[in-house]
Amino acid sequence: MHCPFCRHSDSRVVDSRTTDDGTAIRRRRQCPDCNRRFTTVETATLTVIKRSGVTEPFSRDKVISGVRKACQGRPVTEDALAVLGQRVEECVRSSGSAELSTHDVGLAILGPLKELDVVAYLRFASVYQAYDTLEDFEAAIAELRAERPPAAEEGTAVPAPAPAP
């Protein structure tokens, strides 16, 4: 690492710490030539390969803006979207791969979005999985209903047993 003050070609690491969210390392360095200290921040880059073959850096903000469109008009807060973005980034980083496809990112979004809001999930999935017919929507809704416990569905509350005389 070059010293930003004297441009010496080497530096010594004095201290290393991870950032608050754990996605970067903050290093305090000292130049052996001029003895001045400076800080560097190191992050691992994730590259997303788009369908066209173009690559771009992974962006948590881009994930959140895409999900925000699916959540339009739904009771989803900005804080919930931020948490979802963090979960998606953690998921794709945990894959261990430096390059991932847009398909991989989409799969990482679907799980947390389903937990957050099923209507937004259906909206996102309809675009992401290219639903073409009503049957595609019906199959997705049937799958969501099958995953939910019966008492969780609206209007199907189990009545309490009558007290014994």
Side-chain angles (χ1 to χ4, degrees), residues 57-164:
F58 174 83
S59 168
R60 185 188 299 187
D61 292 333
K62 195 167 181 179
V63 167
I64 292 170
S65 75
V67 172
R68 184 180 290 120
K69 291 173 189 167
C71 293
Q72 200 167 16
R74 301 295 303 156
V76 177
T77 65
E78 284 297 315
D79 288 342
L81 289 176
V83 169
L84 182 136
Q86 182 176 350
R87 286 182 62 193
V88 169
E89 184 171 355
E90 288 170 358
C91 178
V92 295
R93 284 191 185 278
S94 70
S95 73
S97 178
E99 289 186 342
L100 16 121
S101 68
T102 52
H103 179 75
D104 297 332
V105 176
L107 286 176
I109 292 170
L110 287 175
L113 185 56
K114 187 189 293 186
E115 293 171 17
L116 180 65
D117 187 278
V118 291
V119 173
Y121 165 81
L122 276 173
R123 289 176 179 171
F124 187 86
S126 71
V127 174
Y128 172 71
Q129 295 176 334
Y131 293 176
D132 291 326
T133 64
L134 287 175
E135 288 76 22
D136 293 337
F137 279 97
E138 288 171 345
I141 291 169
E143 183 180 315
L144 286 170
R145 283 194 174 130
E147 292 174 4
R148 292 172 70 183
E153 300 216 7
E154 290 182 39
T156 60
V158 179

Side-chain angles (χ1 to χ4, degrees), residues 9 16 25 27 30 34 41 49-50 113-114 125 134 136 140:
S9 62
S16 292
I25 297 175
R27 297 197 193 278
Q30 184 171 7
C34 69
V41 178
I49 304 167
K50 300 181 92 169
L113 185 56
K114 187 189 293 186
L134 287 175
D136 293 337

Side-chain angles (χ1 to χ4, degrees), residues 11-77:
S11 64
R12 180 173 69 91
V13 175
V14 178
D15 183 39
S16 292
R17 298 180 185 185
T18 59
T19 57
D20 291 336
D21 61 358
T23 60
I25 297 175
R26 179 185 165 277
R27 297 197 193 278
R28 193 75 178 131
R29 297 176 177 269
Q30 184 171 7
C31 175
D33 198 37
C34 69
N35 288 325
R36 293 178 79 180
R37 290 185 175 197
F38 57 98
T39 301
T40 58
V41 178
E42 299 175 19
T43 60
T45 58
L46 278 173
T47 304
V48 177
I49 304 167
K50 300 181 92 169
R51 287 185 199 136
S52 64
V54 174
T55 61
E56 65 180 43
F58 174 83
S59 168
R60 185 188 299 187
D61 292 333
K62 195 167 181 179
V63 167
I64 292 170
S65 75
V67 172
R68 184 180 290 120
K69 291 173 189 167
C71 293
Q72 200 167 16
R74 301 295 303 156
V76 177
T77 65

